[in-house]
Amino acid sequence: METTIRIAIQKSGRLSEDSTKLIKECGIKFTNGTGKLKSTATNFPIEFLFLRDDDIPGYVADGVADIGIVGRNVQEEKQKNVKLEKNLGFSKCRLSLAVPRNKPYAGLSDFQGASIATSYPVILSAFLKEKGIEADIHEISGSVEIAPSIGLADAVCDIVSSGSTLLSNGLVEVETVFHSEAVLISNPVLDIEKQKILDKLLFRIDAVQFGKNNKYILLNAPNESIDEIISLLPGMKSPTVLPLAIGGWSSIHSVVNEDDFWQVIENLKQAGAQGILVVPIEKMVL
Ligand code: PRT
Ligand code: ZN
């Protein structure tokens, strides 16, 4: 029988949509109808398990699933024996300490002897230990942000993305404990056949991620500016230069990273580039 790899992804929640989207962008076709716990791809040897995110590290460590997509916060908190394969760049958030806004905050030492409500006792205690602070950690599984107002704790340590939940509960974020994003994890002892399938999947993810982080640009330039323009293009091995129908001009094509994109465009304009066209890249194999 042909080997397949099993991936655990979140059934429904903040990771589900982007996890599914990433797999689909890798050209893998499958259905994930509501209520379904399992599915198999039709064009790639992969099977899906749809689970609660908290269970994913454990299932991957036990080999029930071979790989999984989970928040790095959950992976770190669960302390299971899994390998971190790749940061996936979505579901970014941070785990932060927050205190009531109406109380003065002087610094980390304010947490000495304080009670802190959190769903992340492992990550929080490691952080406090490193900072030399002893606090009383109250583990609660949900609605952490209301703990100070009901007198359960002096402070909270919770996941923050926009910050609006803290704000509407009268809390202010004072220290970042941990940065998180979705990650791909794997069982550390995959057999050779499964490892081969995982390598294929990682190769596709790289191509998708590269495409997302880069743009294809085309521009026209007078021939005398070509050397300067090429020096401004960090791009691939070497940009493509094609003659235009009108004499003395060329069209130059290259790939530019999203991070330096606007700076590069400005520099190109100054060097005489015209008609700069920017096109999204769907996938790029290096
Ligand atoms: O049902 P299941 O157990 O699978 O899901 P869940 O409810 O435990 O998790 P879910 O779907 O809420 O989150 C899954 C993962 O998404 C988390 O483990 C994080 O890695 C990531 N993530 C990204 C977030 C957030 N952003 C986020 N904002 N997880 C939770 N939140 C919550 C936070 O707990 C707080 O209540 O949103 C609120 C804060 O949001 P802001 O925007 O108001 O700051
Ligand atoms: Zn959960």
Side-chain angles (χ1 to χ4, degrees), residues 118-267:
T118 189
S119 306
Y120 294 89
V122 173
I123 300 178
L124 177 60
S125 44
F127 174 84
L128 294 175
K129 192 171 169 210
E130 191 203 310
K131 304 286 180 193
I133 289 171
E134 275 185 47
D136 180 13
I137 298 176
H138 283 266
E139 181 178 354
I140 52 177
S141 59
S143 304
V144 172
E145 64 279 359
I146 62 165
S149 63
I150 59 171
L152 185 71
D154 304 316
V156 302
C157 178
D158 199 10
I159 298 286
V160 183
S161 59
S162 69
S164 64
T165 303
L166 292 182
L167 192 71
S168 60
N169 284 281
L171 299 168
V172 60
E173 186 180 359
V174 289
E175 307 285 344
T176 306
V177 171
F178 190 81
H179 287 277
S180 182
E181 66 185 91
V183 290
L184 184 74
I185 55 172
S186 66
N187 181 286
V189 286
L190 290 183
D191 69 37
I192 267 184
E193 291 305 312
K194 286 184 174 176
Q195 187 61 48
K196 276 191 197 158
I197 301 171
L198 172 57
D199 290 344
K200 273 191 187 174
L201 179 66
L202 289 169
F203 178 80
R204 294 190 186 192
I205 294 175
D206 282 344
V208 170
Q209 286 188 332
F210 187 91
K212 279 197 183 132
N213 297 334
N214 290 273
K215 300 273 182 248
Y216 191 73
I217 72 166
L218 306 90
L219 58 91
N220 296 332
N223 288 346
E224 59 271 20
S225 308
I226 292 179
D227 288 345
E228 189 187 350
I229 287 184
I230 289 179
S231 74
L232 295 171
L233 289 168
M236 316 306 304
K237 273 194 194 116
S238 155
T240 309
V241 181
L242 301 165
L244 289 187
I246 54 162
W249 282 76
S250 296
S251 164
I252 303 176
H253 302 193
S254 189
V255 173
V256 176
N257 190 283
E258 191 103 85
D259 295 339
D260 6 274
F261 179 73
W262 288 109
Q263 191 56 53
V264 171
I265 297 281
E266 254 174 54
N267 297 345

Side-chain angles (χ1 to χ4, degrees), residues 10 52-55 74 120:
Q10 193 189 24
R52 285 203 56 189
D53 68 341
D54 314 73
D55 297 334
V74 172
Y120 294 89

